[in-house]
């Protein structure tokens, strides 16, 4: 599974990093999220899916 964050949609709500802290990192300036790795480790897939479903801006893209 691959994950990315649409930077034009991300508003820095930080929910993804709270739900899946090992998979998302927040920008120090604006709080926007980026994936730690494009390829999600198998043990993190459920948390990344939960983070994507919880994103108010629907900015997390899973392939």
């Amino acid at each position: 599974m691959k994950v990315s964050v649409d930077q034009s949609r991300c508003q820095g709500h930080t929910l993804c990093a709270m739900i899946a802290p090992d998979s998302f990192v927040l920008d120090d300036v604006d709080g926007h999220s980026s994936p730690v790795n494009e390829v999600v480790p198998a043990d993190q897939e459920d948390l990344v899916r939960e983070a994507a479903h919880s994103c108010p801006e629907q900015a997390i893209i899973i392939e």
Side-chain angles (χ1 to χ4, degrees):
M1 169 169 127
K2 291 184 180 183
V3 66
S4 61
V5 177
D6 183 339
Q7 294 300 312
S8 67
R9 296 178 94 176
C10 180
Q11 297 296 309
H13 295 287
T14 74
L15 291 173
C16 57
M18 288 188 278
I19 293 168
D22 293 333
S23 295
F24 296 96
V25 63
L26 302 175
D27 185 281
D28 291 334
V29 176
D30 58 15
H32 287 179
S33 177
S34 297
V36 172
N37 293 304
E38 179 183 351
V39 177
V40 179
D43 66 334
Q44 292 292 309
E45 287 182 358
D46 289 340
L47 290 173
V48 170
R49 282 190 193 96
E50 182 180 343
H53 291 296
S54 298
C55 179
E57 306 303 328
Q58 301 289 301
I60 299 170
I61 301 152
I62 294 175
E63 298 177 33

